[in-house]
Structures are given as C-alpha cells and as structure tokens.
Amino acid sequence: MKNGTIWNDDEGTPIQAHGGMILEHDGVYYWYGENKGAPNASADGGWARVDVIGISCYSSRNLRDWHHEGVVLAATPDDPKSVLHPSRVVERPKVIYHQPTRSFVLWFHADNSTYTAASVGVAVSDSPTGPFKLVRSMRPNGIDSRDMTIFKDTDGVAYLFHSSDWNRTMMISRLTDDYTNLDGFHAPSLIAQSREAPAIMLRNGTYYSVTSGCTGWDPNVALYATSSAVIGHWRLIDNPCTGPHARKTFYGQSTYIFTVGDQPYLMLDHWKPKNLQTSGYSILPITFTDDGMEIAWHDEFNGI
Ligand code: DGJ
C-alpha cells in the first residue's frame, strides 16, 4: 500500500475511513473512520465538507487486505435534529472495547457545518462490526470539543482527549466505568498551545501524545509531548518527524497510534480539501532513540 494515497479494499473499492483508528479484537483488526465517499457539499463559512454518510468499518487479519464491513453508524437523513443528519459534521471516530459488558463504544466529534456545536457523540454496539446505536451527544463537561481521540489505559480507565477553548487547549476528560459518559474529572494539557488531531500511546511508563497544529485541512508541524500520567504534566518536546517534508508531517495529519506487539504505528490522513473523498492514508512505524520519538517516512506500508 503506497503511503500518502487512498487504498483499496479487497473488492478494489477505495477505502473510506478517514480520521480513523485501528482496533485489534480477537486477532482481527478493525479500521473505523469517516466515510467521505461523496463529492464535497457546499459549506457554510467556507469549510470543505462532505454530507455525513456515517462511520465505516473494515476488517483485516494482516493490516493489508481490508474487507468492508459496512457503515456501522449511519447518517439519519429523516431526522434533521440528529447529530447524524447529513448536514452535520461527524469526524474522528474512535472505538474501545468494554470488557465487562463485551460491548464496543464509539466516540466521535459531532459538529455542525461551521464547527460551532463542538460536541461529541457516543454510540454502542455488541459487535465490532455494528450496528452502533447512538446513546448521547454532548459538550464534554460543558466544554467545547473539536478534534478528539479516546485512550484506554492499561488499568482499563479510558479518557477523552479533545481540543477545547476554541482549539487552544487539549482537555483530558475521564470516562465513566461503562465508557459511555464522562465522570466529571477533567484537566487541561498543552494549555494555549493550539494543538489538534491527538494520538496517544504509552511506552515504558511514559505517555506520549502526537498532535498537529491548527491550520484547517492544511498540513503543518507535528509535535509530540510526554507525561508520566494521563492526567498530569504534559510537556511538548519536539517534532517527531524526520527527513524530507518533516515540517509538514509528510503532508499528512495524525489520527491514531495503534500497536502490534511492541511496535507502535502512527496513522495519518492526507487531506484533499477540494475533493475530500480522495484523501489518502499513511501508516508509519514509530521508533525511539536516546533523543526520543522519531517517525520517518516510508513509501509503503504492507501490513504484518
Ligand atoms: C482539522 C481537523 O483535524 C480535521 O479533522 C477537520 O476538522 C478539519 N480541521 C476541518 O477543517
């Protein structure tokens, strides 16, 4: 699979799973993402967007051959008040497994076409391939929320990372034990640093975040930050990208870090705002040296 381009599924159809993530469950990898498989719609305020189609899911055993499992959380054209109405914005879906109830919980950025609703949506399913049922949407703890991710710690406690305060500050909000709500405990990180597109990982007791700057669909410099606790003292360290186009994140933007064995991988979106459905993907291995986190460009990702 050529990094930076759109990839095809096992039927030769372009994969529509942008702003996505990969979850491993019982030996199967599930790739969830935004289905943007339609021409751009006109947008209020000049934001390029595609009418909401829903969240797609693809499955694979080798991270190379992807089978389309369908749209697992679909738009609701008949309900203009729903956060899933086609006129809205549904971005950056992230799914975690809730072991005690054997259910899958999906969080996503729920917004309007001018990004002023700044909310999240939560949906659940008893199967990784859906269908997911919307259980709530809200502003987390009453705070605005745009780009977001979910991180599940080794103790099973999960957190929502969300760009807040008009994207100035990355808020970290703890989920309830059932993962479908927030328990109220939250704290800011990267205060007034204007970071978005968060992706989180844990290595040797240190938590890492990779984020982008806030330049709409245009690429910018990624930065990683570290902390000894999820809700803790996060410090921005450096740009993890190396080599040509490192200061543009290889013309991509972070969306998720998944790990296979001990190897973490960063997923990138390569946005094409003039025709969002043609936006590409990359998966790049993350390495660590004495100097810290490094991400080099690789022309291809061919699975495991
Ligand atoms: C940057 C975000 O990272 C994307 O998910 C999307 O919300 C665009 N901004 C919209 O301009």
Side-chain angles (χ1 to χ4, degrees), residues 237-259:
I237 306 294
D238 203 352
N239 178 5
C241 301
T242 60
H245 314 302
R247 292 181 63 81
K248 294 279 185 200
T249 317
F250 317 115
Y251 298 102
Q253 186 185 31
S254 46
T255 182
Y256 197 70
I257 297 170
F258 67 92
T259 301

Side-chain angles (χ1 to χ4, degrees), residues 47 91-92 115 147 196 216-217 253:
W47 293 104
E91 291 182 348
R92 296 187 179 267
Y115 289 88
D147 278 9
E196 62 180 7
W217 300 108
Q253 186 185 31

Side-chain angles (χ1 to χ4, degrees), residues 30-293:
Y30 297 95
W31 179 0
Y32 302 92
E34 305 156 22
N35 187 325
K36 291 193 176 303
N40 282 13
S42 58
D44 300 337
W47 293 104
R49 58 179 292 283
V50 171
D51 279 351
V52 176
I53 297 168
I55 306 301
S56 299
C57 176
Y58 295 80
S59 63
S60 175
R61 287 191 175 268
N62 59 15
L63 294 166
R64 186 184 60 241
D65 304 308
W66 291 99
H67 180 70
H68 191 209
E69 299 286 353
V71 174
V72 295
L73 181 68
T76 56
D78 297 336
D79 183 0
K81 292 199 175 131
S82 169
V83 295
L84 294 167
H85 189 261
S87 62
R88 305 269 306 192
V89 162
V90 169
E91 291 182 348
R92 296 187 179 267
K94 303 289 175 274
V95 177
I96 50 173
Y97 179 57
H98 187 250
Q99 174 79 48
T101 54
R102 298 185 182 180
S103 59
F104 297 81
V105 185
L106 188 165
W107 287 67
F108 62 94
H109 173 189
D111 222 319
N112 57 22
S113 62
T114 54
Y115 289 88
T116 52
S119 303
V120 291
V122 186
V124 294
S125 174
D126 55 15
S127 161
T129 55
F132 283 82
K133 189 174 180 316
L134 187 70
V135 290
R136 66 174 52 83
S137 65
M138 62 189 167
R139 280 193 163 194
N141 300 303
I143 296 167
D144 63 312
S145 175
R146 293 181 176 85
D147 278 9
M148 47 129 307
T149 196
I150 296 286
F151 175 73
K152 190 206 244 190
D153 206 349
T154 47
D155 60 2
V157 180
Y159 302 84
L160 170 70
F161 284 66
H162 54 111
S163 299
S164 68
D165 191 16
W166 290 96
N167 283 350
R168 281 162 43 91
T169 291
M170 187 63 65
M171 192 64 69
I172 308 171
S173 302
R174 196 169 63 192
L175 273 54
T176 50
D177 289 345
D178 70 356
Y179 299 161
T180 72
N181 209 338
L182 298 167
D183 73 2
F185 186 52
H186 64 284
S189 71
L190 311 182
I191 295 167
Q193 296 299 322
S194 296
R195 308 302 299 168
E196 62 180 7
I200 316 298
M201 64 168 283
L202 170 65
R203 178 179 180 268
N204 296 344
T206 298
Y207 297 87
Y208 292 79
S209 71
V210 176
T211 56
S212 76
C214 298
T215 54
W217 300 108
D218 297 333
N220 55 49
V221 187
L223 289 174
Y224 78 93
T226 61
S227 176
S228 58
V230 179
I231 294 194
H233 178 49
W234 285 87
R235 289 184 308 137
L236 283 169
I237 306 294
D238 203 352
N239 178 5
C241 301
T242 60
H245 314 302
R247 292 181 63 81
K248 294 279 185 200
T249 317
F250 317 115
Y251 298 102
Q253 186 185 31
S254 46
T255 182
Y256 197 70
I257 297 170
F258 67 92
T259 301
V260 179
D262 289 335
Q263 177 62 59
Y265 293 92
L266 178 69
M267 299 171 71
L268 296 179
D269 293 295
H270 297 264
W271 300 115
K272 301 280 186 285
K274 291 194 173 134
N275 189 8
L276 280 163
Q277 63 181 318
T278 64
S279 301
Y281 312 106
S282 290
I283 295 179
L284 301 172
I286 299 175
T287 55
F288 289 88
T289 69
D290 290 345
D291 289 335
M293 177 187 269

